[in-house]
Amino acid sequence: MNTIMYGIPNCDTIKKAQKWLNENNISFTFHDYRKDGLDNQLLEQFYQLASWDQLLNKRSTSYRVLTEQQKESLNAETISPYFIESPTLIKRPLVLHNNVAIVGFNAKNYQQFFAV
């Protein structure tokens, strides 16, 4: 089984998800957007498993600083440069496990997702 968590390490939701995975003995690799980067190739992998609007974090500071015009123009064709420029626009955590994605953290959902 291959499990990768994508995000930023100082995010509280990331910390909760990491704690849950560790407590349930699920090994994972952490991909820090800031250190390990985010490019179009990785985004394409994400899009194969989740839609751009599922990935968009409308609660993030990065989203709130976008102008209304920018927000209104977001779609499948325009979102990628925003994600690459500001990976915090992607909901956290994004976990890929056996070619399936789970976006965000909810202990009950994780329990079902990982069949613990």
Side-chain angles (χ1 to χ4, degrees), residues 84-100:
I84 290 171
E85 183 180 323
S86 185
T88 54
L89 280 170
I90 299 174
K91 283 183 188 170
R92 298 178 300 270
L94 170 60
V95 175
L96 303 185
H97 176 72
N98 295 335
N99 293 319
V100 179

Side-chain angles (χ1 to χ4, degrees), residues 20-21 33-34 36 41-42 45 60 78 108:
W20 189 94
L21 291 172
Y33 291 131
R34 293 193 175 125
D36 303 318
Q41 184 177 0
L42 186 55
Q45 280 184 288
S60 72
T78 63
K108 189 180 281 187

Side-chain angles (χ1 to χ4, degrees), residues 9-114:
N10 61 336
C11 171
D12 289 339
T13 309
I14 290 284
K15 291 175 186 176
K16 290 175 192 173
Q18 288 176 328
K19 181 180 177 190
W20 189 94
L21 291 172
N22 288 325
E23 287 174 350
N24 287 277
N25 298 314
I26 297 170
S27 62
F28 65 95
T29 303
F30 182 71
H31 181 103
D32 181 345
Y33 291 131
R34 293 193 175 125
K35 285 184 182 173
D36 303 318
L38 177 65
D39 59 22
N40 281 317
Q41 184 177 0
L42 186 55
L43 270 178
E44 285 304 316
Q45 280 184 288
F46 294 171
Y47 294 152
Q48 291 174 12
L49 302 172
S51 66
W52 72 270
D53 52 335
Q54 288 174 305
L55 296 172
L56 182 61
N57 183 2
K58 291 185 177 179
R59 293 182 177 175
S60 72
T61 304
S62 302
Y63 181 80
R64 286 181 277 184
V65 299
L66 295 176
T67 66
E68 285 306 311
Q69 183 179 5
Q70 288 172 313
K71 291 176 187 176
E72 290 170 10
S73 70
L74 294 177
N75 60 47
E77 288 78 41
T78 63
I79 192 68
S80 293
Y82 289 101
F83 282 159
I84 290 171
E85 183 180 323
S86 185
T88 54
L89 280 170
I90 299 174
K91 283 183 188 170
R92 298 178 300 270
L94 170 60
V95 175
L96 303 185
H97 176 72
N98 295 335
N99 293 319
V100 179
I102 187 167
V103 182
F105 175 71
N106 176 298
K108 189 180 281 187
N109 291 347
Y110 268 46
Q111 192 166 3
Q112 292 173 347
F113 184 73
F114 291 100

